[in-house]
Amino acid sequence: MPLSADRKKQFRALGHNLKPIVTLGDNGLSDGVRAELNRALDDHELIKVKIAVAEREDRKVLLDELAAMPGVELVQQVGKIALLYRANPKPNPKLSNLLR
């Protein structure tokens, strides 16, 4: 289910102070990067991802791949930084960016 505009606004406010956890390079979404993204989303629910690719079209392709991951919602994209959200049914209050 897509996020409402109000929920996205809340997530953007929370994401403002976050640092990028995962950096994507020219190799794209390899299996290792995909595993790290899944781990980070399970732990934190709301994460920033840096897309260190020079070409805008290549960044767009990577963003589409990120948004196509199961349960992942693209909250915001500004330049080379994307804010991603995936709900965790049993979040850890010490790790979740939404519960801290």
Side-chain angles (χ1 to χ4, degrees):
M1 185 166 85
L3 294 172
S4 68
D6 288 338
R7 193 81 166 139
K8 280 188 177 185
K9 187 176 180 180
Q10 290 173 340
F11 288 165
R12 285 194 306 266
L14 289 171
H16 181 73
N17 295 322
L18 298 178
K19 302 276 187 230
I21 292 180
V22 178
T23 301
L24 294 175
D26 290 328
N27 293 338
L29 272 174
S30 64
D31 291 337
V33 172
R34 199 175 291 269
E36 182 61 23
L37 278 169
N38 282 322
R39 186 212 52 84
L41 285 165
D42 286 342
D43 287 348
H44 303 293
E45 294 184 279
L46 184 68
I47 64 169
K48 270 189 181 177
V49 176
K50 182 175 183 177
I51 303 171
V53 177
E55 295 298 320
R56 186 176 294 201
E57 293 81 25
D58 295 339
R59 283 196 305 265
K60 176 69 174 139
V61 169
L62 283 173
L63 278 172
D64 291 341
E65 288 182 34
L66 288 173
M69 290 176 64
V72 173
E73 185 79 34
L74 178 65
V75 177
Q76 182 182 31
Q77 187 257 331
V78 177
K80 295 183 178 184
I81 304 292
L83 186 62
L84 302 176
Y85 167 73
R86 182 171 70 191
N88 185 349
K90 296 179 184 176
N92 183 343
K94 293 181 180 178
L95 295 177
S96 176
N97 288 324
L98 303 179
L99 301 177
R100 288 195 277 162

